[in-house]
């Protein structure tokens, strides 16, 4: 049962726009089609229903995901599978970040035991800002996919169901993540899960950041050498893992002025020279002021915050980010405890064993 004594429930939040922004268009990269998101959700339904999740909550959209799932629900599931009851969270559709934020809050209000997110770094950042300590199953369907993982939806659904139904304890199945926090004039403004970049550009414009011009400081919660996006700069200079206590600060400059120049994959199919002036570690709780006085801050690859000379802006790294499902550990625990194994009394093998 769920924490409210209700049938165990899970939220599925699939961003219809994830994996379809300007970064993929300019680099001629493939997009993540709505049809595959629909297929992933159908596989999630199968996994969740087979493990005892009674209700799934989903966001409505205008790009076809919710309509396709409504149509799929009118047809009996294949192979005799049992799908959960699906409730679509009706709300005014804005086709903006507000849809994700509202849906996450509604799922939290309904007491879901987990939220499965289909999106990139930006989508997961939005969900993380509203989900509290509800564990996230982070599935990669976006453009820059550093925070979420490439996982088969069936396995992610099984792991989510095991946690939502209480069969695997949260302390076994989840891990806490770091977050980069933005404070503007002493008030917390927003967060990033992977990278935060201050730019000398003075307006947001197209939100997706895919050009190197004007990049001034780059803050990283973690940096992997095989990543795509801004965090790849740090990953190629000084890799730092999700588990390490601190993060990184890179002061950037134009390549012709830099001692170190990194050929960084800023987006799929887009490699750009980035000049690095200096690199240092940042500690949790350390307040770092920006060195430029006006500009734009990009959070996980998307421009979000404009600031002026009248604003006091600082960045800090904290260990208060979202809980995410560690799917390999969850499945290993399920194997150890034989949670997915049963012996039918009427099978020939069972009759032989029970003689």
């Amino acid at each position: 049962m769920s924490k409210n004594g209700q049938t165990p429930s899970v939220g599925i939040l699939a961003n219809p726009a994830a994996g379809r922004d300007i970064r993929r268009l300019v680099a001629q990269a493939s997009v993540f089609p709505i049809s595959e998101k629909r297929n992933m959700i159908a596989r999630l339904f199968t996994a969740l229903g087979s493990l005892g999740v009674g209700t799934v909550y989903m966001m409505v959209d205008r790009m076809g995901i919710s309509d396709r799932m409504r149509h799929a629900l009118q047809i009996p599931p294949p192979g005799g599978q049992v799908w959960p009851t699906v409730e679509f969270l009706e709300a005014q559709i804005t086709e903006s970040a507000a849809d994700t934020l509202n849906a996450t809050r509604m799922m939290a209000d309904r007491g879901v035991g987990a939220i499965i997110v289909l999106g990139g770094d930006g989508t997961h950042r939005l969900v993380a800002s509203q989900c509290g300590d509800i564990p996230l199953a982070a599935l990669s369907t976006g453009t820059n996919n550093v925070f979420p993982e490439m996982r088969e939806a069936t396995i992610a659904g099984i792991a989510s169901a095991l946690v939502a139904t209480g069969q695997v304890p949260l302390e076994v199945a989840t891990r806490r993540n770091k977050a980069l926090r933005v404070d503007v004039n002493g008030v917390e403004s927003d967060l990033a899960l992977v990278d935060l970049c201050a730019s000398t550009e003075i307006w947001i414009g197209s939100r997706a950041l895919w050009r190197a011009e004007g990049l001034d400081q780059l803050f990283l919660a973690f940096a992997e050498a095989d990543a795509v996006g801004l965090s790849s700069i740090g990953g190629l200079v000084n890799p730092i893992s999700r588990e390490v206590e601190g993060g990184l600060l890179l002061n950037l400059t134009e390549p012709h002025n830099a001692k170190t120049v990194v050929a960084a994959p800023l987006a799929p199919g887009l490699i750009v020279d980035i000049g690095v002036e200096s690199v240092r570690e940042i500690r949790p709780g350390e307040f770092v002021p920006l060195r430029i006085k006006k500009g734009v801050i990009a959070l996980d690859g998307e421009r979000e915050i404009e600031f002026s000379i009248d604003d006091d802006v600082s960045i800090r790294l904290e260990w208060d980010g979202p809980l995410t499902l560690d799917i390999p550990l969850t499945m290993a625990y399920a194997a150890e405890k034989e949670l997915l194994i049963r012996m039918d009394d009427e099978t020939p093998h069972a009759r032989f064993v029970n003689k």
Side-chain angles (χ1 to χ4, degrees):
M1 300 296 285
S2 72
K3 63 183 180 180
N4 295 325
Q6 301 171 342
T7 302
S9 62
V10 167
I12 297 178
L13 202 152
N15 182 356
R20 305 170 68 87
D21 66 35
I22 190 172
R23 290 168 291 190
R24 288 188 174 270
L25 295 176
V26 299
Q28 301 180 27
S30 59
V31 298
F32 205 102
I34 295 293
S35 59
E36 178 52 24
K37 294 175 184 178
R38 178 261 181 226
N39 293 339
M40 290 177 68
I41 295 169
R43 299 199 297 275
L44 289 170
F45 285 173
T46 295
L48 295 169
S50 69
L51 270 293
V53 172
T55 305
V56 165
Y57 297 101
M58 284 192 62
M59 177 177 74
V60 294
D61 68 279
R62 289 182 184 146
M63 295 180 67
I65 294 179
S66 55
D67 284 344
R68 293 185 189 208
M69 298 321 301
R70 283 190 171 104
H71 182 265
L73 290 164
Q74 296 173 2
I75 304 169
Q81 302 287 341
V82 177
W83 283 1
T85 299
V86 179
E87 179 179 327
F88 292 93
L89 301 172
E90 300 293 342
Q92 181 179 358
I93 300 173
T94 65
E95 296 186 308
S96 70
D99 295 337
T100 296
L101 297 172
N102 290 337
T104 304
R105 285 192 289 264
M106 293 172 75
M107 291 174 187
D109 290 343
R110 284 158 174 76
V112 297
I115 298 176
I116 304 172
V117 184
L118 281 65
D121 295 336
T123 304
H124 285 82
R125 176 183 70 83
L126 294 171
V127 175
S129 72
Q130 303 296 320
C131 69
D133 278 344
I134 300 171
L136 306 181
L139 296 183
S140 170
T141 66
T143 297
N144 289 352
N145 299 291
V146 180
F147 187 80
E149 300 176 309
M150 292 294 294
R151 288 276 174 194
E152 164 51 40
T154 309
I155 304 304
I158 292 172
S160 300
L162 289 169
V163 170
T165 57
Q167 297 179 70
V168 179
L170 283 177
E171 58 269 23
V172 172
T174 62
R175 66 183 178 195
R176 178 70 66 183
N177 289 271
K178 293 179 273 189
L180 293 159
R181 303 274 176 182
V182 185
D183 294 325
V184 180
N185 300 323
V187 178
E188 184 175 306
S189 175
D190 215 326
L191 82 160
L193 299 177
V194 182
D195 54 71
L196 183 155
C197 189
S199 166
T200 57
E201 293 181 330
I202 58 175
W203 59 81
I204 289 174
S206 171
R207 291 189 180 274
L209 196 160
W210 55 278
R211 292 183 176 182
E213 291 83 3
L215 304 184
D216 187 70
Q217 285 182 295
L218 177 61
F219 298 78
L220 299 171
F222 62 95
E224 299 164 339
D226 60 346
V228 171
L230 289 171
S231 72
S232 68
I233 304 169
L236 293 169
V237 173
N238 186 4
I240 188 168
S241 76
R242 298 174 190 245
E243 290 74 29
V244 169
E245 183 182 22
L248 287 181
L249 167 59
L250 289 78
N251 289 323
L252 307 178
T253 187
E254 295 296 330
H256 63 268
N257 292 328
K259 181 179 180 180
T260 301
V261 178
V262 181
L266 291 191
L270 185 66
I271 300 175
V272 179
D273 283 347
I274 304 293
V276 179
E277 188 177 286
S278 63
V279 182
R280 75 169 179 89
E281 184 177 342
I282 52 174
R283 302 181 306 275
E286 175 187 359
F287 286 79
V288 182
L290 297 183
R291 63 180 186 176
I292 57 174
K293 299 303 180 183
K294 62 179 180 178
V296 171
I297 295 173
L299 305 172
D300 292 326
E302 297 182 348
R303 301 179 186 90
E304 296 288 348
I305 301 172
E306 297 176 357
F307 63 96
S308 71
I309 196 169
D310 297 323
D311 294 316
D312 179 16
V313 183
S314 62
I315 314 300
R316 54 191 167 88
L317 178 75
E318 301 288 358
W319 271 97
D320 63 355
L323 291 174
T324 49
L325 289 184
D326 188 318
I327 293 176
L329 278 182
T330 302
M331 299 305 294
Y333 182 91
E336 178 186 351
K337 301 298 183 182
E338 299 185 345
L339 298 180
L340 301 175
I341 296 174
R342 63 184 175 86
M343 184 70 75
D344 288 336
D345 291 339
E346 298 304 318
T347 63
H349 180 65
R351 288 196 295 270
F352 174 79
V353 171
N354 294 328
K355 281 183 179 178

